[in-house]
Amino acid sequence: MKKILLIEGDGIGPEVVGETKKIIDFFNKNSDKKFTTESALLGGIAFDKTGTPFPQETLKLASEADATLLGAVGGPKWESLEYKFRPERGLLGIRKELNLFANLRPAKVFNALANSSTLKREIVEDLDIMIVRELTGDLYFGEPRYVKTLDDGSKQGVNTMTYNSKEVERIARVSFDLAKIRNKKLCSVDKANVIETTEMWREVVSDIGAKEYPDINLSHMYVDNASMQLVRNPKQFDVIVTGNMFGDILSDTASMLTGSLGMLPSASLGEKQNNGKQHALYEPVHGSAPDIAGKNIANPLATILSFSMMLRYSFNYIDEANKLDQAVENVLNNGVRTADIALSGQKFVSCTEMSDKVIEELKKLFN
Ligand code: IPM
Ligand code: MG
């Protein structure tokens, strides 16, 4: 019995997590894999109900759970709050407290959707890359950080890009291990021509590669070039590893190659502990989309695919994960679309109808 913590969060979060709960229930009824679920608050709704975007209770439940599924946090309602009360602090807090340093962001093009990309079909068709973003260091967490008023009345802002070699080693190993079970190619992205921290990053990744993964084809690329190459010829990449800040930016670029942000899952993994436990948080890459919240038109597939990543990476339920991925692919091949992935004039289904279609396909696969 695996214990899953569900965090709906804000905006469309409750809808997409609610639809994914139906998939979890399907597995409970129709497979030998069993799950229990609990709920917790994070983000704006947590602030509204408890006065903080990251309640202690949520941290406790998440660290006890076998894995956590998160919808999304944030919205205009909370944007003018003081920094520490903003929904994003909840997300950054849970990443940091659970030490979720490895963020896996696959960008895979479903061929049924290749025409939805803003790039030409031949550039993105069959694309399947994995961006590994370091998630607990860099400018996001580095100290000192402040904005202060100087004597002349002008303001100065300071943030710190910092990594130590141990942090680089562990994210490098996660990336090499992924490359090993994929196409054995890893590209490490940095700005080693200008920023010393990332020059060290490059050296450490090279060392690990030479010593521990001689069979992986390792290359290095500056981040400006990488952002260009991602739209010029994305299929040259297999696994990309980079720091927190560059990874935030590059993963948004990569997501658009696939046609819609509404399709992209992600996993954030912690260190394997001695008792075999590994904290893990799964979430769609899209945000809380407050403009369409509550209208039952959101695309639940990124969250459903995030649950599939949970089956694969947290529970090693490979067969179930493959079947769930296949069910999503079948639904798309059947022409079923939510509004965000429909071409103009094409008919589209609601959020709830989309997950019902996935369940119909799952039923066939589990027969
Ligand atoms: C992401 C998001 C977050 C980030 C925000 C919401 C704090 O953009 O997960 O990529 O910057 O990491
Ligand atoms: Mg981002």
Side-chain angles (χ1 to χ4, degrees):
M1 190 75 109
K2 302 289 186 193
K3 204 156 80 177
I4 302 176
L5 181 67
L6 300 177
I7 302 181
E8 296 183 338
D10 307 318
I12 58 172
E15 295 162 67
V16 293
V17 171
E19 294 314 306
T20 307
K21 173 76 168 42
K22 287 173 18 190
I23 308 282
I24 298 173
D25 294 340
F26 173 89
F27 280 100
N28 273 336
K29 275 201 208 104
N30 300 283
S31 79
D32 57 354
K33 306 294 187 293
K34 307 293 175 198
F35 309 95
T36 57
T37 58
E38 280 184 289
S39 306
L41 298 170
L42 191 79
I45 183 162
F47 173 76
D48 288 350
K49 292 202 171 158
T50 72
T52 163
F54 185 28
Q56 275 301 312
E57 174 72 4
T58 299
L59 176 59
K60 181 169 167 282
L61 289 171
S63 44
E64 287 165 3
D66 293 308
T68 297
L69 184 73
L70 168 67
V73 299
K77 184 173 169 199
W78 303 282
E79 258 161 28
S80 53
L81 287 174
E82 199 185 318
Y83 224 68
K84 64 175 186 201
F85 294 128
R86 292 204 200 143
E88 290 75 14
R89 300 317 298 175
L91 183 57
L92 296 174
I94 200 168
R95 287 174 179 172
K96 191 69 179 175
E97 291 299 322
L98 295 182
N99 198 13
L100 305 172
F101 70 95
N103 184 211
L104 278 44
R105 298 192 162 184
K108 187 172 143 41
V109 170
F110 290 92
N111 279 335
L113 296 182
N115 288 332
S116 310
S117 174
T118 47
L119 297 190
K120 292 196 197 85
R121 185 175 185 105
E122 60 267 28
I123 303 287
V124 297
E125 201 164 31
D126 298 317
L127 179 75
D128 182 357
I129 62 182
M130 173 74 86
I131 297 199
V132 182
R133 168 189 179 193
E134 200 291 330
L135 204 58
T136 50
D138 204 346
L139 281 166
Y140 272 64
F141 297 97
E143 299 281 349
R145 57 186 303 152
Y146 57 78
V147 176
K148 71 173 180 191
T149 305
L150 302 176
D151 291 343
D152 69 358
S154 65
K155 285 189 174 168
Q156 182 191 27
V158 172
N159 284 93
T160 304
M161 179 181 273
T162 170
Y163 271 116
N164 67 48
S165 54
K166 288 198 176 124
E167 291 171 309
V168 182
E169 282 169 18
R170 66 179 182 177
I171 195 72
R173 289 199 179 96
V174 167
S175 312
F176 278 116
D177 284 338
L178 281 167
K180 216 174 182 171
I181 55 170
R182 294 172 50 101
N183 293 322
K184 303 202 160 38
K185 256 168 64 177
L186 176 64
C187 180
S188 171
V189 172
D190 59 45
K191 188 71 186 173
N193 51 343
V194 179
I195 300 174
E196 289 85 347
T197 302
T198 72
E199 195 181 358
M200 180 272 288
W201 171 289
R202 182 180 286 223
E203 282 162 17
V204 172
V205 175
S206 293
D207 269 7
I208 299 274
K211 287 195 193 117
E212 299 174 25
Y213 302 89
D215 50 330
I216 303 293
N217 176 351
L218 172 68
S219 61
H220 302 273
M221 203 179 269
Y222 298 141
V223 63
D224 48 350
N225 186 25
S227 72
M228 186 272 279
Q229 295 295 340
L230 267 176
V231 286
R232 189 185 78 90
N233 175 21
K235 282 188 247 174
Q236 69 185 285
F237 296 110
D238 178 23
V239 180
I240 293 177
V241 60
T242 190
N244 204 348
M245 186 73 255
F246 298 159
D248 179 45
I249 300 166
L250 293 181
S251 62
D252 265 26
T253 307
S255 74
M256 242 0 251
L257 303 172
T258 69
S260 171
L261 211 50
M263 293 298 302
L264 290 180
S266 79
S268 304
L269 309 175
E271 267 180 280
K272 280 209 181 72
Q273 295 156 19
N274 291 334
N275 60 10
K277 226 182 133 137
Q278 182 181 29
H279 290 316
L281 174 79
Y282 297 82
E283 55 177 316
V285 170
H286 62 69
S288 57
D291 51 319
I292 61 165
K295 296 186 178 158
N296 195 21
I297 57 172
N299 183 350
L301 292 180
T303 314
I304 290 173
L305 291 169
S306 298
F307 175 60
S308 160
M309 288 188 86
M310 182 189 292
L311 294 172
R312 194 179 297 280
Y313 293 104
S314 280
F315 306 146
N316 206 26
Y317 294 165
I318 307 299
D319 182 50
E320 286 75 12
N322 287 342
K323 283 187 171 139
L324 183 50
D325 290 348
Q326 188 62 54
V328 169
E329 186 149 6
N330 292 352
V331 164
L332 295 171
N333 287 341
N334 294 342
V336 181
R337 300 285 184 271
T338 41
D340 59 308
I341 50 175
L343 296 173
S344 75
Q346 198 177 7
K347 239 180 65 189
F348 55 85
V349 300
S350 66
C351 183
T352 41
E353 282 164 340
M354 181 54 109
S355 64
D356 290 343
K357 294 286 183 195
V358 173
I359 289 170
E360 270 173 37
E361 289 301 318
L362 271 177
K363 278 189 186 142
K364 294 181 200 161
L365 293 168
F366 274 87
N367 254 331

